[in-house]
Amino acid sequence: QVQLVESGGGSVQPGGSLRLSCKVSGNTVDTGLMGWFRQGEKKEREGVAAIDSDGPIYADSVQGRFTISLGADRNTLYLQMNDLRTEDTAVYYCSARARVMTAKVWLLTATPAYGYWGQGTEVTVSS
């Protein structure tokens, strides 16, 4: 089992920044893939950024604005979000699973039915 606990959400104005954190504990052998997903109101959950042994990958909508990274001990996953836009408003979820596919495929196809998921942290971008 893997436990994921997100933090760092909040309310910011457009153009602002936030850094999300996800504390990982448990059997980290099953965390070859780690990533962030989000779900806006009345929208489907979508992939934001993911990282595996080949490096990070990002959704087109956040490329150049968001940065995903792992702490040195690999027990904390971060998402640095800069130049936030109103369309970034969503609940952000941290997720992890064994590396049974590439990060690119996982970012596009992940569902809550597979892998491990945190409880989510809310991000609101509004003027």
Side-chain angles (χ1 to χ4, degrees):
Q1 287 289 324
V2 174
Q3 294 78 44
L4 306 170
V5 179
E6 304 100 331
S7 62
S11 296
V12 294
Q13 293 185 338
S17 298
L18 282 174
R19 187 174 83 155
L20 306 183
S21 299
C22 174
K23 186 66 176 176
V24 184
S25 61
N27 185 7
T28 57
V29 170
D30 292 334
T31 58
L33 288 170
M34 298 189 71
W36 291 94
F37 298 77
R38 67 185 181 188
Q39 188 165 14
E41 189 174 356
K42 301 181 180 179
K43 296 182 180 179
E44 292 187 356
R45 191 169 299 193
E46 62 176 352
V48 175
I51 189 167
D52 63 7
S53 57
D54 292 332
I57 188 165
Y58 300 92
D60 289 344
S61 59
V62 306
Q63 181 77 47
R65 300 187 297 122
F66 291 10
T67 302
I68 188 172
S69 62
L70 270 172
D73 58 4
R74 294 185 58 84
N75 289 337
T76 306
L77 182 71
Y78 299 101
L79 184 69
Q80 177 66 42
M81 305 186 294
N82 297 329
D83 190 23
L84 282 160
R85 305 168 181 171
T86 56
E87 54 263 39
D88 295 318
T89 295
V91 177
Y92 284 71
Y93 298 91
C94 174
S95 181
R97 69 168 299 172
R99 194 177 186 278
V100 296
M101 64 186 72
T102 66
K104 182 177 182 179
V105 172
W106 185 51
L107 200 63
L108 294 172
T109 63
T111 75
Y114 297 97
Y116 303 97
W117 295 81
Q119 80 289 350
T121 185
E122 190 166 359
V123 172
T124 302
V125 185
S126 174
S127 56

